[in-house]
Every structure is written in C-alpha cells, then in structure tokens.
Amino acid sequence: KPTDGFVSRHLNRKISTRITQLLANTPVRPNHVSVAAMLLSFLAAWWVSHGDYYHLALGGLMFQFASILDGSDGEIAKLKFMGSRTGEWFDSVADSASYLVYFAGITWGFYNLTGATHALSIGLAAMGFILLGIATMTLYLKHVGSGSFAVFNMALSEDVPEERRTRLHRLVCSFKFLVRRDAFSAVFCVLAVLNSLEVIYWLIIIGAFLFSFGILIYSGYM
C-alpha cells in the first residue's frame, strides 16, 4: 500500500503475503486475523512484563510477529472483497488495544527489573497521553468518514496549514515513521533481543508525549 512504512514494505509484507496465501482458501475472515494479532500482542505484553531477559526477548519477537500478522487482515479483506468501514474500525480498535497493553507490559517489566516506583507513574501518564491522542484521531476519523489511522497520519503531514507548520510540527512529522507499528515493533524486537528494556521504556515514554502532544496541538485542542 502507498501508506506502508519502510519495514512493512521491505520485510513484513514479504511474510504476511505468504500467510495470506495460506489462509486465502479457508473460512478465515479479516476480523479473525485482527483478533489473532491482538491476542498475540497481549501474550507478548504478558511475557515482557516479567522483566527478565528470556521473557523480554520472547515478547519482543512475538510482538514483531503480531505486527507482521496484522498486515494479513487487510490483504485478506482485499483478496476476498471483504473490505468495509466497520472492518477498518475493528482493526484500528484492535491495534490501539495491542499498543496500550504491550506498552503497559513494558512499563510493568521495567518496574519489576528496577523496582523504581516512578516508572509506574511516568508510564501511567504516558498511557494517558496515548489515550488522548487515540481519542483525538478517532474524532477526526469520524468527521472525515474513515476508520483507518493511516488517514490521520497523512492529514497531519499534508493538511496542517502552512502558517501552523512550526518547528514542533516538522519534528513530529520527521519522527512520525517511528510511531508506525511496523517501525516501532521492529525496533522494540531488536532492542528486546539485545536486552535493552530500559531503552524500550524510555522510547515509549518520549514517543508517547511527543506524538500525542503534537496531535493535540495540530488538531486544535491545545
């Protein structure tokens, strides 16, 4: 798709299309795949919440596989002519739940690893900002009649008036690719295998505040 990120185009699609081929002649529907990807993300979140290296690496690999599988729901929808606005919303909700639960798992895992109580409070604040960002994007999508967060991402880059394209807007757009699932799942997977839980935690915190703050500003809520 033209909205695919670098990792999706050069890695994930090469695998997800093979999975789609295997599922093409089965009764599997797009929403079934969305649910499967979400449940695998929940499993990954539970693993990383332990905080030890074995579970962190396993959870990072599983979250990356869930990201790959997440591409198959749209492929199956197109292949079987099952695309719908309801399906877009279902996929967006499943993705949002996957992100929040996995990020919560990282926060709890970092707390288990360090025992730092501030890790929980900062992580909770970041989750709150992510929810605000998701709510803002949802309102926008309802307004324009879409159910795909990719539409909002494109609008953030293209529809913000020139007079509001400040340094913050340019910064948010420059790093926007890192908040795409294909990108951050791959980065988190590599860092998990390298046993860098603390780096993953702080990337989530910084990314949550930066991107959500940018969304609220350029949607006119701040």
Side-chain angles (χ1 to χ4, degrees), residues 24-40:
N25 295 317
T26 70
V28 171
R29 301 173 67 87
N31 287 353
H32 297 159
V33 180
S34 297
V35 170
M38 181 179 67
L39 293 178
L40 289 178

Side-chain angles (χ1 to χ4, degrees), residues 52-131:
D52 62 277
Y53 172 68
Y54 173 77
H55 287 100
L56 176 64
L58 201 59
L61 291 168
M62 181 59 73
F63 194 61
Q64 169 60 11
F65 178 72
S67 175
I68 293 172
L69 184 63
D70 188 50
S72 288
D73 54 3
E75 294 165 3
I76 291 174
K78 290 178 175 61
L79 187 64
K80 295 186 176 184
F81 301 99
M82 289 181 167
S84 67
R85 186 65 45 74
T86 301
E88 287 183 349
W89 277 113
F90 190 90
D91 183 48
S92 293
V93 170
D95 285 348
S96 298
S98 298
Y99 306 157
L100 288 167
V101 173
Y102 185 76
F103 295 168
I106 289 291
T107 298
W108 191 257
F110 185 60
Y111 168 72
N112 280 334
L113 178 66
T114 64
T117 55
H118 68 269
L120 295 179
S121 56
I122 296 175
L124 183 61
M127 297 305 106
F129 261 81
I130 292 174
L131 282 172

Side-chain angles (χ1 to χ4, degrees), residues 7 11-12 59-69 181-182 184-187 189:
V7 177
L11 173 63
N12 292 4
L61 291 168
M62 181 59 73
F63 194 61
Q64 169 60 11
F65 178 72
S67 175
I68 293 172
L69 184 63
R181 179 167 190 170
D182 67 314
F184 69 70
S185 295
V187 170
C189 178

